[in-house]
Amino acid sequence: MNFRMSRRMFLKVTGTATAGLSLPSVVPERYLSWAETAPEELKPVPTFCELCFWNCGLIAKVQNGKVVKIDGNPLSERGRGRLCGRGNAALGSLYDPDRLKFPMINTGRRGQPAWKRASWDEALGLVARKLEDIREKHGPETVALFSHGCGGAFWKHLMKAYGSRSHAAPSDAQCRGPRDVGFTLTFGSDVGSPEYYDFGESRYIVLIGSHLGENAHNSQVQDIVTGLAKGAKLAVVDPRLSNIAAKADHWLPIRPATDLALLLAWIRLIVNEELYDADYVKAYAIGLPELTAAVQEYTPEWAAGETELPVETIARVARELAAHRPNVIISAGRYNCWYGDDTQRCRAIAILNALLGSWGRPGGIYLPAGGGVPEYPDLPVYPSGRAGLPELDAAYPFALSQTTTSVRQASITGKPHPFKAWLVYGCNLIKTLPGRDETVRAIDNLDLLVAIDILPADITRWADVVLPECTYLERHDALSLGRGKNFEVAMRQPAVSPLFESKPSWWITKELAIRLGLGDYFPWKDGEEYLRGRCRAGNIDYDELRGKGVVRFSGKSSPYLSPHEEREFDTPSGKIELYSGQLADRGFDPVPKYTRHEQPPAGYFRVLFGRSPLHTFARTTNNFLLADLVPENSLWINRKKARELGLEDGEYVRLENQAGFLSPGKIRVRHTQRLREDCIYMVHGFGVHSAELTRADGKGIGDEEMLARYSIDPIMGGTAMRSNFVRVVKEG
Ligand SMILES: Nc1nc2c(c(=O)[nH]1)N[C@H]1C(S)=C(S)[C@@H](COP(=O)(O)OP(=O)(O)OC[C@H]3O[C@@H](n4cnc5c(=O)[nH]c(N)nc54)[C@H](O)[C@@H]3O)O[C@H]1N2
Ligand SMILES: Nc1nc2c(c(=O)[nH]1)N[C@H]1C(S)=C(S)[C@@H](COP(=O)(O)OP(=O)(O)OC[C@H]3O[C@@H](n4cnc5c(=O)[nH]c(N)nc54)[C@H](O)[C@@H]3O)O[C@H]1N2
Ligand code: SF4
Ligand SMILES: [Mo]
């Protein structure tokens, strides 16, 4: 199908064209008081954004003690002087009247809290006493940290000093984990974050389910726009005509859960017609004969049956792609916990890139500059873990880091070892782990749950103690390192002092450490001294960094392979592994095999979800600037289907999943021709259930509320969430 949207319209829809937003009338009155005093000069304070994890550099403009405007920092490679729609809404986060204001202790029940305001001393004293007690009775490894975001570095440091190595993140096992593992099994390394996708130089781009543009990762959206402007061809595989699919040369509205069939058919066609980069494969890869033999059953005709895509389109895209090699990318996007065979799907994507020679080639997947900054110098060594401790992720042999899946399971069963406390930093586990009942059961087993957050988010309602962090515009923080074609170091510094009694993580962790007898691990007086120490260790001029916000170091090596370059890959064979001996040794398919997934029964639709261009999960759904623009999510449903069901455009409905669970909230129907008939689509982050979040509470439905069922990727433990079916329930 062909449908092109103009570039200007695309930018408008994706929000990347917005310049610095000034404050609209929705700002609470009391924050507008600067207008009454004589305006001072605007003072620029360079720092970086935390409204998502791209960490774009920004410059906060401060006047009379208030941040009045935010601009992009041109020195930042991840932003290049621009901010996305969310980044521009910084003031809605900083000046959100619903923010957590002081430490709180839950005197009620988890999930039905009764809050008592506490002093920092009381709250930290309580947490420290409990952690001491747990360390003595059960061992330090029974405390787990969940984290997402820059300040998590201080919490990881605290946990290691305390003696626990248990650290997990939904941004791995519920996000990019399968992709990182699939690529690492193939190339010996993953595609990074920011991804090493060289879109700006590509001649042919294939996006597998990635909705870049709605996924608003700043410089990456700029890169793909650049590539398209320079004439790159684009094919988008998505059951939904996403904004970027609307710009594509080919939209492939694939039947959900069948992507692996398409990928295997492409591999077959490319090897059978000898369209691959023979020199490259000969020089760098092993396993072509085994790969060729293993894919013979996957004919384009067979794939057409599975995917419901025209056989001509399947063959045409493969041939076009090969004609543009090696300046091509078959992108795995970022979020990949789809159907349970996700590592294998990502491996198929990696194999395609390898066959077309795109790894290390212009317009393909570039080789990052690398680089790093040492930790703070001269810290005491961490205590070693208890000898003989059973490995938490032993069940998932190729997990690259500890999985939330294993920590939650161990918290329920006590196996392979129990958990007694969770520290939850910047994670909203109630909304971001599938199978809420299990999350609640795990939490019920704990002696302590501490949430460190900026908002009274859903997860805070399950905490025993809530510690209010100040927002990113009010704090020093860990460094943010960007490994792209250049290496960049960004620093965060407060534009204004913390509001209310909120505190930065460097302070909270230091105070906890002192109470736990671990003060030696936190020798810095304050956040600035911590950053000076890191800069000293990394030979970075602190004053330059503070003045610019970002410093960049040019790459020591080329982003591209030179012709005939010898290269060793970090795999067991030193080669790109089209056939994976490692997988075979562990009893997994060495070449991806197709598995057929269940399709929705009659009357039901598969639940698909994705990103709102103007929100980051539930992080921003209460942000007054963004809630003003996108106050709730809607239920995308194919118009023909909607009419059959008698659903009006705009009416509110409930959803009931295959397990008979009826959504407590309602969602507005949105008729569309941009979606297949067998699925519905909604953006993640709504369906908040926290009355203190006055703008977000009760708006729309959370996709996670419908996800009773998930399957676990046996290779790396990721939880696949797109195998749930719902029917639409009309009100009354
Ligand atoms: N059902 C469903 N589940 C999903 C997804 C989905 O689309 N649907 N997406 C998956 C993906 S891709 C990912 S990456 C994960 C993300 O899942 P998580 O790692 O849990 O992250 P967030 O949802 O971003 O959690 C945000 C929490 O951090 C708080 N927060 C915001 N800023 C700060 C700050 O500066 N300091 C502190 N201390 N807290 C802060 C917010 O208030 C909120 O409570 O979720 C995954 N899970
Ligand atoms: N604005 C904004 N941007 C964000 C975020 C945010 O919260 N807000 N979050 C960031 C994070 S943490 C992540 S991980 C990324 C995620 O962003 P991406 O990796 O780009 O995308 P996904 O969430 O996997 O993709 C959603 C798309 O997949 C399609 N899809 C669903 N099922 C299938 C299927 O079976 N096959 C195929 N081919 N497609 C399918 C959906 O229709 C939808 O268009 O976004 C990042 N960028
Ligand atoms: S992409 Fe947007 S929200 Fe994410 S860091 Fe950059 S400006 Fe902030
Ligand atoms: Mo993610």
Side-chain angles (χ1 to χ4, degrees), residues 52-53 84 86 148 171 174-176 207-217 237-240 242 252 254-259 332-336 338-339 606 608-617 675 681 684 722:
C52 86
F53 314 97
C84 78
R86 300 164 297 160
H148 201 186
S171 50
Q174 280 66 44
C175 177
R176 46 183 276 229
L207 299 179
I208 309 290
S210 174
H211 57 341
L212 255 184
E214 286 155 281
N215 158 359
H217 280 163
V237 182
D238 194 315
R240 185 179 68 101
S242 61
L252 282 67
I254 194 164
R255 177 153 67 145
T258 65
D259 292 72
R334 187 179 185 93
Y335 172 72
N336 269 292
W338 294 7
Y339 301 107
R606 185 185 296 274
L608 299 187
F609 50 86
R611 306 284 166 245
S612 162
L614 289 173
H615 284 293
T616 303
F617 313 121
L675 183 67
Y681 176 81
H684 178 64
R722 283 186 181 147

Side-chain angles (χ1 to χ4, degrees), residues 325-523:
R325 72 170 164 73
N327 315 107
V328 301
I329 260 194
I330 303 98
S331 163
R334 187 179 185 93
Y335 172 72
N336 269 292
C337 293
W338 294 7
Y339 301 107
D341 51 1
D342 304 303
T343 301
Q344 292 288 19
R345 186 187 65 253
C346 294
R347 233 180 82 69
I349 295 172
I351 289 170
L352 273 168
N353 281 292
L355 289 172
L356 299 172
S358 77
W359 182 276
R361 301 304 250 304
I365 296 165
Y366 65 80
L367 311 171
V373 181
E375 290 306 322
Y376 194 87
D378 304 323
L379 293 177
V381 289
Y382 296 126
S384 48
R386 192 151 59 82
L389 196 66
E391 251 196 80
L392 199 55
D393 272 300
Y396 312 119
F398 293 98
L400 289 171
S401 56
Q402 214 158 65
T403 63
T404 49
T405 318
S406 295
V407 175
R408 183 174 72 179
Q409 188 63 10
S411 305
I412 295 172
T413 62
K415 291 194 182 103
H417 69 72
F419 280 95
K420 295 293 168 189
W422 287 5
L423 305 187
V424 184
Y425 176 85
C427 292
N428 203 353
L429 302 178
I430 290 292
K431 293 183 80 64
T432 58
L433 300 182
R436 175 189 301 224
D437 289 354
E438 281 175 73
T439 307
V440 169
R441 253 196 293 151
I443 291 174
D444 278 343
N445 277 351
L446 301 174
D447 293 347
L448 177 68
L449 195 157
V450 183
I452 306 99
D453 211 298
I454 60 169
L455 289 170
D458 289 68
I459 182 65
T460 60
R461 301 176 51 77
W462 300 83
D464 304 313
V465 182
V466 174
L467 304 178
E469 182 162 52
C470 54
T471 67
Y472 62 99
L473 288 168
E474 304 164 300
R475 67 192 197 223
H476 285 105
D477 212 327
L479 293 170
S480 170
L481 311 181
R483 294 184 182 87
K485 287 185 187 169
N486 297 298
F487 173 60
E488 72 173 14
V489 178
M491 99 162 231
R492 177 170 282 155
Q493 58 191 322
V496 289
S497 313
L499 284 174
F500 319 112
E501 290 178 19
S502 62
K503 294 281 189 187
S505 271
W506 67 259
W507 182 89
I508 308 173
T509 50
K510 181 179 164 79
E511 288 293 318
L512 264 178
I514 292 169
R515 286 167 177 79
L516 287 165
L518 302 170
D520 288 353
Y521 288 91
F522 291 77

Side-chain angles (χ1 to χ4, degrees), residues 546-567:
R546 190 182 50 180
K548 292 181 173 167
V550 188
V551 288
R552 193 184 298 177
F553 303 89
S554 46
K556 289 195 188 66
S557 51
S558 162
Y560 309 126
L561 294 165
S562 47
H564 314 298
E565 179 177 331
E566 297 217 359
R567 183 148 196 121

Side-chain angles (χ1 to χ4, degrees), residues 49-56 83-84 86-87 216-218 616:
C49 184
E50 186 80 7
L51 288 178
C52 86
F53 314 97
W54 212 248
N55 290 167
C56 302
L83 299 170
C84 78
R86 300 164 297 160
H217 280 163
N218 194 344
T616 303

Side-chain angles (χ1 to χ4, degrees), residues 127-141:
V127 173
R129 272 197 308 283
K130 288 229 176 194
L131 288 177
E132 285 277 22
D133 195 45
I134 290 169
R135 181 163 56 184
E136 238 159 69
K137 286 202 190 117
H138 308 284
E141 69 276 1

